[in-house]
Amino acid sequence: MWYKTSLSKTGTVIPMPVPSSYNDITQDKELRDFVGWVWYDREFYVDSNWKNDKIVHLRIESAHYNAIVWINSHFAFNHSGGHLPFEGEVSHLLNYFTINRITIAVNNTLTPTTLPPGSIKYERNSKRYPRGYFVQNLQMDFFNYAGIHRHVWLYTTPQIYIHDIILKTSTTGSTGLVTYLVVPSEAGNTIYCDIQVLDKDGKTVVRATGISGTIMIPNANLWWPYTMNKTSPAYLYTFRVVLLADKIDVYRQPFGIRTVAVTDDQLLINKKPFYCLGVGRHEDADVRGKGLDLPLIAKDFNLMKWLGVNCFRTSHYPYSEDLMDQADQQGFAVIDESPGVGIEGNNMGSASLAHHQEVMREMIHRDKNRPSVIIWSVANEPQSYRPEAEHYFGAVVNFTRQLDATRPVTFVMNADFTNDRAAKFVDILCINRYYGWYSDNGHTEVIPLQLAYDLDSIYNLHHRPIILAEYGADAIAGLHRDPSVSFSEEYQVDLLAANHKVFNKLRHKYLVGEMVWNFADFQTAQNVKRVAGNKKGILTRQRQPKLAAFLIRSRYMAINNGTLNEDVCGRSITL
Ligand code: GCB
């Protein structure tokens, strides 16, 4: 009933910024670790002119996890899923001359059918636990930050509007081909539109009419990752649609012309081999948690360029649209990952599968026109050795491919290659391996043997290109030991360098990328293996470099410049 009146009339309220996670904003441990429904509200006015001939839409870019929205005490819409936008028409619920109130209830509980999945465990032994005690079990290694994480927009359209623009690009010789489909708001509506493709200076290069077709752009400027074509990377055109309805309405969609393909041992961008110099990441920062943070996005892109990174994975959920815009504009390749992290055997039933497919649909709907997105990742480290995994991942991967056949599809695997049942479905293999850390801790000398054997075996089984999507070691910034011991900055460098020895050999064969885990330290749930979070960052959570950052920078820069000395690794190079 809390949506019936303003929340401040029902009890104490806390000022809470949007966007942000609510967890770290106050000094209250209960709020930090809260599991269940939280309530937001605010009052606002709308332009009274909107009443006449506009449709008003409300768009919420991300609310974690389940959300219910009311306007002026009336139900507007709800949504399940913590990382993708949802929206609805709200014209009929608004007051145009008096104040409005929006109320949003958000519930962060993770269950066996959410993505990521989780479970609630009640403890009923009254000698050991207080009444009603329960814990949220997580199947992932990051803090379950919650709240309204990204922008909330009110925007208007005319009565007939454009619901979607779908662009697919290819090339023939020096000509770019853009196959387009303009989707009207109501199926069956006839819409008349004028199409223009503008170059980056805003000059019209081609015109067309009609809601679908293929446009040819002679001497096209291609979109490239910034390290592949240093003179003109990340070229973006604008697809401009002028809707010729009762009132003229204009839509602009930035896009890049580029192709992605895989052979059995290469990843090709614009038909040239691409080697991914990458990082795994998180949307994670002090105070804001996973809340959108524009200065941090700018800083992180500058740091990635400083490191020589040309590719990142949106581990383990889709990142904000603002961040993805930067990848498009600055020329970073992205493995766009769904929130399907930590899927176990009991998360592979039909309800989980239906929700996973819906999440893939939402993610592809949002990111399909982005040139930066080169691969879809449907999951991270599922229990792909389970018998159920065969049907489940066959279905998710095929569904994803049906929605978009222009990009390779993968999931990120940590299972042993001898018993995995799902890798056969993917176009490109992404593998996580922690030799010298979770096994044989302290023994970097075993890494070259174990990693090379493992990757060769996987390649011989599947004949697909491989990206080593995670490898790394925790290092507490400022902890130094020589000879190195685990958790010291030196051990992190030694472990990475031992992996690099193998990469140096395999990148001339089927290895098409290396992605250190992680770009920066990040928050996790409390547990005995985590010292106030995961410390595998090569940067601290405050974005200061550890020793390993200089190793990665010198390696990635040398590979980018073609000057890598493959015989010199680790602390013997000048950091
Ligand atoms: C993994 C997971 C990642 C963890 C990492 C670790 O394999 O994919 O989410 O954070 O290992 O540090 O254990």
Side-chain angles (χ1 to χ4, degrees):
M1 287 300 137
W2 285 352
Y3 56 86
K4 293 245 153 148
T5 177
S6 122
L7 292 174
S8 60
K9 297 204 177 115
T10 67
T12 312
V13 293
I14 312 167
M16 186 56 63
V18 171
S20 80
S21 302
Y22 56 72
N23 309 74
D24 292 343
I25 298 289
T26 72
Q27 292 308 99
D28 183 354
K29 176 172 180 295
E30 215 183 313
L31 183 60
R32 184 190 67 198
D33 298 336
F34 183 75
V35 180
W37 290 103
V38 299
W39 291 73
Y40 291 76
D41 74 358
R42 73 167 287 169
E43 294 180 333
F44 63 98
Y45 290 92
V46 299
D47 185 338
S48 53
N49 289 321
W50 290 1
K51 187 175 170 54
N52 303 329
D53 56 355
K54 298 276 189 210
I55 300 182
V56 186
H57 307 255
L58 172 68
R59 176 180 173 86
I60 299 171
E61 284 187 0
S62 144
H64 187 72
Y65 183 87
N66 284 309
I68 311 177
V69 183
W70 293 267
I71 298 223
N72 297 323
S73 309
H74 298 288
F75 172 78
F77 49 81
N78 59 352
H79 181 256
S80 267
H83 312 86
L84 287 159
F86 54 103
E87 59 180 84
E89 294 185 14
V90 294
S91 322
H92 57 295
L93 302 175
L94 290 170
N95 300 323
Y96 290 88
F97 298 96
T98 55
I99 202 159
N100 291 281
R101 189 183 65 254
I102 178 170
T103 310
I104 307 182
V106 183
N107 191 327
N108 61 348
T109 310
L110 299 181
T111 71
T113 56
T114 56
L115 267 198
S119 59
I120 298 290
K121 180 153 194 292
Y122 287 92
E123 298 288 359
R124 299 187 205 277
N125 181 343
S126 61
K127 295 201 187 66
R128 290 173 56 86
Y129 296 98
R131 211 179 139 80
Y133 185 92
F134 70 92
V135 284
Q136 165 79 74
N137 287 324
L138 301 176
Q139 297 167 203
M140 71 225 196
D141 182 37
F142 52 93
F143 194 89
N144 191 30
Y145 279 116
I148 303 176
H149 281 153
R150 299 177 192 151
H151 301 290
V152 177
W153 304 100
L154 273 180
Y155 70 93
T156 64
T157 60
Q159 297 299 327
I160 295 176
Y161 60 95
I162 291 176
H163 168 67
D164 199 8
I165 297 171
I166 303 169
L167 303 175
K168 292 189 173 152
T169 64
S170 56
T171 55
T172 155
S174 61
T175 303
L177 302 178
V178 185
T179 302
Y180 72 93
L181 175 66
V182 176
V183 183
S185 48
E186 274 169 43
N189 260 343
T190 312
I191 55 172
Y192 297 97
C193 52
D194 180 29
I195 310 280
Q196 293 154 27
V197 173
L198 313 182
D199 67 12
K200 77 170 172 17
D201 302 319
K203 278 217 306 285
T204 304
V205 289
V206 191
R207 275 177 183 278
T209 49
I211 60 165
S212 65
T214 298
I215 294 176
M216 303 221 290
I217 303 179
N219 296 320
N221 285 297
L222 303 188
W223 184 97
W224 292 93
Y226 81 97
T227 52
M228 267 183 107
N229 179 333
K230 293 181 179 137
T231 48
S232 78
Y235 193 99
L236 293 180
Y237 289 94
T238 301
F239 189 85
R240 184 169 187 263
V241 184
V242 182
L243 188 61
L244 309 168
D246 317 343
K247 290 239 165 89
I248 287 180
D249 198 38
V250 180
Y251 294 76
R252 287 181 194 83
Q253 169 70 60
F255 74 100
I257 300 174
R258 66 105 193 78
T259 60
V260 188
V262 289
T263 66
D264 62 5
D265 57 4
Q266 286 191 322
L267 168 63
L268 304 173
I269 294 188
N270 299 330
K271 302 176 185 154
K272 297 233 162 72
F274 176 66
Y275 188 77
C276 158
L277 295 168
V279 281
R281 302 198 43 177
H282 267 295
E283 280 184 321
D284 173 272
D286 268 341
V287 184
R288 295 162 164 121
K290 293 204 180 314
L292 178 71
D293 184 339
L294 298 180
L296 186 75
I297 291 174
K299 177 74 177 173
D300 283 356
F301 273 82
N302 288 333
L303 279 165
M304 286 195 291
K305 282 204 163 152
W306 177 77
L307 289 164
V309 165
N310 60 14
C311 178
F312 63 90
R313 173 164 65 117
T314 69
S315 36
H316 300 304
Y317 38 81
Y319 291 179
S320 71
E321 292 167 68
D322 300 72
L323 186 148
M324 297 297 280
D325 288 347
Q326 289 307 308
D328 286 338
Q329 289 168 26
Q330 297 197 37
F332 283 81
V334 179
I335 301 177
D336 202 359
E337 184 159 279
S338 91
V341 45
I343 297 176
E344 299 182 358
N346 68 329
N347 313 123
M348 296 181 191
S350 54
S352 297
L353 177 59
H355 182 54
H356 200 150
Q357 290 177 330
E358 174 58 16
V359 170
M360 292 316 302
R361 201 190 55 70
E362 289 180 9
M363 179 169 145
I364 292 172
H365 176 70
R366 193 193 76 166
D367 289 344
K368 62 187 175 298
N369 293 332
R370 296 186 177 282
S372 58
V373 174
I374 57 159
I375 297 171
W376 302 116
S377 164
V378 302
N380 178 71
E381 298 195 349
Q383 292 184 337
S384 61
Y385 56 86
R386 297 264 182 195
E388 307 88 315
E390 182 139 0
H391 169 69
Y392 187 92
F393 283 97
V396 177
V397 169
N398 285 334
F399 182 80
T400 305
R401 209 175 271 128
Q402 272 163 27
L403 292 176
D404 178 20
T406 69
R407 293 171 174 93
V409 183
T410 194
F411 75 90
V412 178
M413 173 169 102
N414 70 335
D416 180 345
F417 67 88
T418 55
N419 57 16
D420 155 82
R421 291 163 183 263
K424 62 183 174 200
F425 298 118
V426 304
D427 302 305
I428 182 164
L429 291 156
C430 288
I431 310 288
N432 294 349
R433 288 296 185 257
Y434 285 92
Y435 295 122
W437 187 254
Y438 290 120
S439 55
D440 301 301
N441 187 284
H443 293 278
T444 55
E445 67 277 15
V446 303
I447 294 172
L449 196 65
Q450 295 186 0
L451 184 64
Y453 170 74
D454 191 19
L455 294 183
D456 280 346
S457 310
I458 295 173
Y459 179 72
N460 290 335
L461 194 61
H462 295 288
H463 293 281
R464 304 259 199 293
I466 297 180
I467 295 176
L468 208 281
E470 284 183 28
Y471 69 107
D474 288 77
I476 308 295
L479 181 68
H480 293 285
R481 286 291 185 279
D482 186 72
S484 70
V485 297
S486 47
F487 290 102
S488 67
E489 292 198 31
E490 287 76 10
Y491 189 79
Q492 188 181 33
V493 165
D494 290 348
L495 181 142
L496 301 186
N499 281 271
H500 295 166
K501 281 190 191 154
V502 180
F503 302 162
N504 287 349
K505 296 208 174 80
L506 299 186
R507 73 190 186 93
H508 302 295
K509 299 183 181 170
Y510 52 77
L511 189 73
V512 297
E514 53 189 85
M515 308 187 88
V516 62
W517 188 260
N518 188 285
F519 173 68
D521 292 347
F522 58 91
Q523 199 51 258
T524 63
Q526 300 179 59
N527 98 44
V528 292
K529 287 198 200 152
R530 298 286 176 254
V531 188
N534 187 310
K535 299 289 192 255
K536 292 193 188 68
I538 56 172
L539 306 169
T540 64
R541 202 177 185 213
Q542 290 68 36
R543 276 40 181 186
Q544 293 305 325
K546 301 181 195 170
L547 215 49
F550 297 98
L551 173 71
I552 291 290
R553 172 172 150 81
S554 72
R555 173 174 175 78
Y556 284 8
M557 287 301 185
I559 294 179
N560 285 330
N561 299 331
T563 56
L564 182 72
N565 181 345
E566 300 202 332
D567 302 324
V568 186
C569 261
R571 286 193 279 151
S572 45
I573 65 171
T574 319
L575 296 181

